[in-house]
Structures are given as C-alpha cells and as structure tokens.
Amino acid sequence: QVQLVESGGGLVQPGGSLRLSCASSRIPFTMYTMGWYRQAPGKERELVADITRTGTITYADSVRGRFTISKDNAKNMVFLQMNSLRPEDTAVYFCSARGLGATNWGQGTLVTVSS
C-alpha cells in the first residue's frame, strides 16, 4: 500500500513560520511530481506548490514569495517551508505524488494561523 506521511503542522501566530515534511519509503520521488495542496473549511482543495521530477516548481499566487518547496530525492522527502504566515493560510495540508496514471495523497496535517 502506498503511504505518504506528513508532519510539521501546528498552531502558529500570524507572521510566523512552519516547515512541513512528507516522507515515503514506497514511492520513488524521482519518478513523480511532488506537491503540497491545502483545503480550508468550506473550500475546495487547492494547489499550494509542486515540484516536478526535473525540479520545475509551481506556486499558487497566494503563497509565492512566502513559501518554498524542496525535495531530497535520496531520502524520499519533500518539504514546504512556510514563512510570513497569515490567518487565511489556515487549512489541512496534504502531500501528493502525481504519476502518469494516478495521484497518491497523504493523510494531511493541520496548520492553524491565529493569534
């Protein structure tokens, strides 16, 4: 069974930072586009950032300049560094691995930005 495991979520004050991690022992990240999505209450799941096999990165307009996605292929880990967090960033964040025929999802980790 494919497993993606996120960690690093929590409660942070506006303007603060968090670093999310995603790891898998089953999925070779060199063969997938890895991404972070988020879903806020009452809203659809949306792309936050992703990074292709070759390193091409896409960011949502709402996070560009504040968030950074990176990966360590040797360790099969992807990261999302989130800086200058805003209350509207509050959501469940999901790790994804998109291949040719399907997308795999982690269980999600909750990020709450509040004073």
Side-chain angles (χ1 to χ4, degrees):
Q1 182 177 353
V2 174
Q3 292 185 354
L4 295 169
V5 180
E6 302 100 333
S7 62
L11 175 64
V12 64
Q13 294 183 346
S17 298
L18 284 174
R19 182 176 174 87
L20 305 183
S21 300
C22 174
S24 175
S25 62
R26 300 178 183 270
I27 298 177
F29 288 178
T30 55
M31 299 178 65
Y32 292 83
T33 292
M34 303 302 302
W36 290 96
Y37 289 71
R38 67 186 182 187
Q39 188 164 23
K43 297 186 179 296
E44 296 181 354
R45 188 174 298 186
E46 64 176 356
L47 173 70
V48 177
D50 64 19
I51 180 167
T52 70
R53 295 185 299 139
T54 57
T56 301
I57 294 173
T58 299
Y59 291 107
D61 289 342
S62 59
V63 308
R64 187 176 295 109
R66 300 187 297 120
F67 292 9
T68 302
I69 188 171
S70 61
K71 64 176 179 178
D72 185 332
N73 287 333
K75 297 181 179 179
N76 271 0
M77 297 186 69
V78 295
F79 309 95
L80 185 69
Q81 178 67 46
M82 304 185 294
N83 299 325
S84 301
L85 283 161
R86 305 165 181 168
E88 52 264 42
D89 294 318
T90 296
V92 177
Y93 284 71
F94 298 89
C95 180
S96 71
R98 184 168 71 253
L100 292 177
T103 300
N104 300 292
W105 298 95
Q107 81 286 355
T109 185
L110 177 63
V111 172
T112 302
V113 185
S114 176
S115 59

